[in-house]
Short mmCIF file of all heavy atoms in Angstrom, two decimals:
data_model
loop_
_atom_site.label_atom_id
_atom_site.label_comp_id
_atom_site.label_asym_id
_atom_site.label_seq_id
_atom_site.Cartn_x
_atom_site.Cartn_y
_atom_site.Cartn_z
N GLN A 184 -74.96 -9.69 -39.81
CA GLN A 184 -73.85 -9.03 -39.10
C GLN A 184 -73.46 -9.81 -37.86
O GLN A 184 -72.27 -9.97 -37.54
CB GLN A 184 -74.26 -7.60 -38.73
CG GLN A 184 -74.38 -6.68 -39.93
CD GLN A 184 -74.79 -5.28 -39.51
OE1 GLN A 184 -74.94 -5.02 -38.32
NE2 GLN A 184 -75.01 -4.42 -40.49
N LEU A 194 -59.68 -6.29 -38.28
CA LEU A 194 -58.53 -5.57 -37.71
C LEU A 194 -58.26 -4.27 -38.44
O LEU A 194 -57.21 -3.65 -38.24
CB LEU A 194 -57.28 -6.47 -37.79
CG LEU A 194 -57.34 -7.78 -37.00
CD1 LEU A 194 -56.06 -8.57 -37.21
CD2 LEU A 194 -57.60 -7.52 -35.53
N TYR A 305 2.57 2.50 -1.52
CA TYR A 305 1.71 1.42 -2.01
C TYR A 305 0.26 1.55 -1.53
O TYR A 305 -0.40 0.57 -1.23
CB TYR A 305 2.27 0.07 -1.55
CG TYR A 305 3.67 -0.22 -2.03
CD1 TYR A 305 4.75 -0.21 -1.14
CD2 TYR A 305 3.94 -0.51 -3.36
CE1 TYR A 305 6.04 -0.47 -1.56
CE2 TYR A 305 5.23 -0.78 -3.80
CZ TYR A 305 6.28 -0.75 -2.90
OH TYR A 305 7.55 -1.02 -3.33
N PHE A 485 27.98 -3.05 10.14
CA PHE A 485 26.54 -2.81 10.07
C PHE A 485 26.19 -1.75 9.03
O PHE A 485 25.09 -1.21 9.05
CB PHE A 485 26.00 -2.40 11.44
CG PHE A 485 26.06 -3.51 12.45
CD1 PHE A 485 27.10 -3.56 13.37
CD2 PHE A 485 25.12 -4.52 12.47
CE1 PHE A 485 27.18 -4.58 14.30
CE2 PHE A 485 25.19 -5.55 13.38
CZ PHE A 485 26.22 -5.58 14.30
N GLY A 512 19.36 18.54 -9.13
CA GLY A 512 20.59 19.19 -9.56
C GLY A 512 21.26 19.98 -8.46
O GLY A 512 21.11 19.71 -7.26
N HIS A 552 24.91 -10.43 11.86
CA HIS A 552 26.12 -11.24 12.00
C HIS A 552 25.99 -12.35 13.04
O HIS A 552 26.87 -12.53 13.89
CB HIS A 552 27.32 -10.34 12.31
CG HIS A 552 27.54 -9.29 11.26
ND1 HIS A 552 28.11 -9.57 10.04
CD2 HIS A 552 27.24 -7.96 11.24
CE1 HIS A 552 28.17 -8.45 9.31
NE2 HIS A 552 27.65 -7.47 10.02
N ALA A 564 15.40 -5.08 5.20
CA ALA A 564 16.23 -5.18 4.01
C ALA A 564 15.39 -5.61 2.82
O ALA A 564 15.58 -5.11 1.69
CB ALA A 564 17.38 -6.16 4.25
N LYS A 641 -7.65 -12.19 38.34
CA LYS A 641 -6.57 -11.20 38.23
C LYS A 641 -5.31 -11.78 38.84
O LYS A 641 -5.25 -12.07 40.02
CB LYS A 641 -6.97 -9.91 38.95
CG LYS A 641 -5.89 -8.83 38.87
CD LYS A 641 -6.33 -7.56 39.58
CE LYS A 641 -5.23 -6.50 39.53
NZ LYS A 641 -5.64 -5.24 40.19
N ASP A 652 6.06 -19.66 32.87
CA ASP A 652 6.96 -20.81 32.92
C ASP A 652 6.34 -22.12 32.46
O ASP A 652 7.04 -23.12 32.32
CB ASP A 652 7.48 -20.98 34.36
CG ASP A 652 8.25 -19.76 34.84
OD1 ASP A 652 8.82 -19.05 33.98
OD2 ASP A 652 8.28 -19.50 36.07
N ASN A 681 12.44 -17.82 26.46
CA ASN A 681 13.62 -17.47 25.65
C ASN A 681 13.19 -16.43 24.61
O ASN A 681 12.82 -16.75 23.49
CB ASN A 681 14.20 -18.70 24.97
CG ASN A 681 15.61 -18.45 24.47
OD1 ASN A 681 15.97 -17.33 24.12
ND2 ASN A 681 16.41 -19.51 24.43
N LEU A 702 5.86 -6.79 -1.90
CA LEU A 702 6.03 -8.01 -2.68
C LEU A 702 4.72 -8.60 -3.18
O LEU A 702 4.74 -9.51 -4.02
CB LEU A 702 6.76 -9.07 -1.86
CG LEU A 702 8.26 -8.86 -1.64
CD1 LEU A 702 8.79 -9.88 -0.63
CD2 LEU A 702 9.02 -8.96 -2.95
N PRO A 719 7.89 21.88 -4.29
CA PRO A 719 7.76 22.81 -5.42
C PRO A 719 8.64 22.39 -6.58
O PRO A 719 9.60 21.64 -6.40
CB PRO A 719 8.22 24.15 -4.82
CG PRO A 719 9.18 23.76 -3.75
CD PRO A 719 8.66 22.46 -3.18
N SER A 773 25.76 4.71 -15.35
CA SER A 773 26.34 3.43 -14.97
C SER A 773 25.26 2.38 -14.74
O SER A 773 25.51 1.18 -14.84
CB SER A 773 27.18 3.58 -13.71
OG SER A 773 26.38 4.04 -12.64
N SER A 783 27.03 -11.91 -14.73
CA SER A 783 28.06 -12.87 -14.34
C SER A 783 27.47 -14.25 -14.14
O SER A 783 26.32 -14.39 -13.70
CB SER A 783 28.74 -12.40 -13.05
OG SER A 783 27.79 -12.24 -12.04
N LEU A 789 20.26 -17.41 -10.04
CA LEU A 789 19.22 -16.61 -9.39
C LEU A 789 18.06 -16.32 -10.32
O LEU A 789 16.96 -16.03 -9.87
CB LEU A 789 19.83 -15.28 -8.90
CG LEU A 789 20.86 -15.37 -7.77
CD1 LEU A 789 21.38 -13.98 -7.46
CD2 LEU A 789 20.25 -15.99 -6.53
#
Side-chain angles (χ1 to χ4, degrees):
Q184 290 179 3
L194 298 178
Y305 301 109
F485 293 99
H552 302 284
K641 180 179 178 179
D652 300 333
N681 197 330
L702 286 171
S773 60
S783 57
L789 293 178

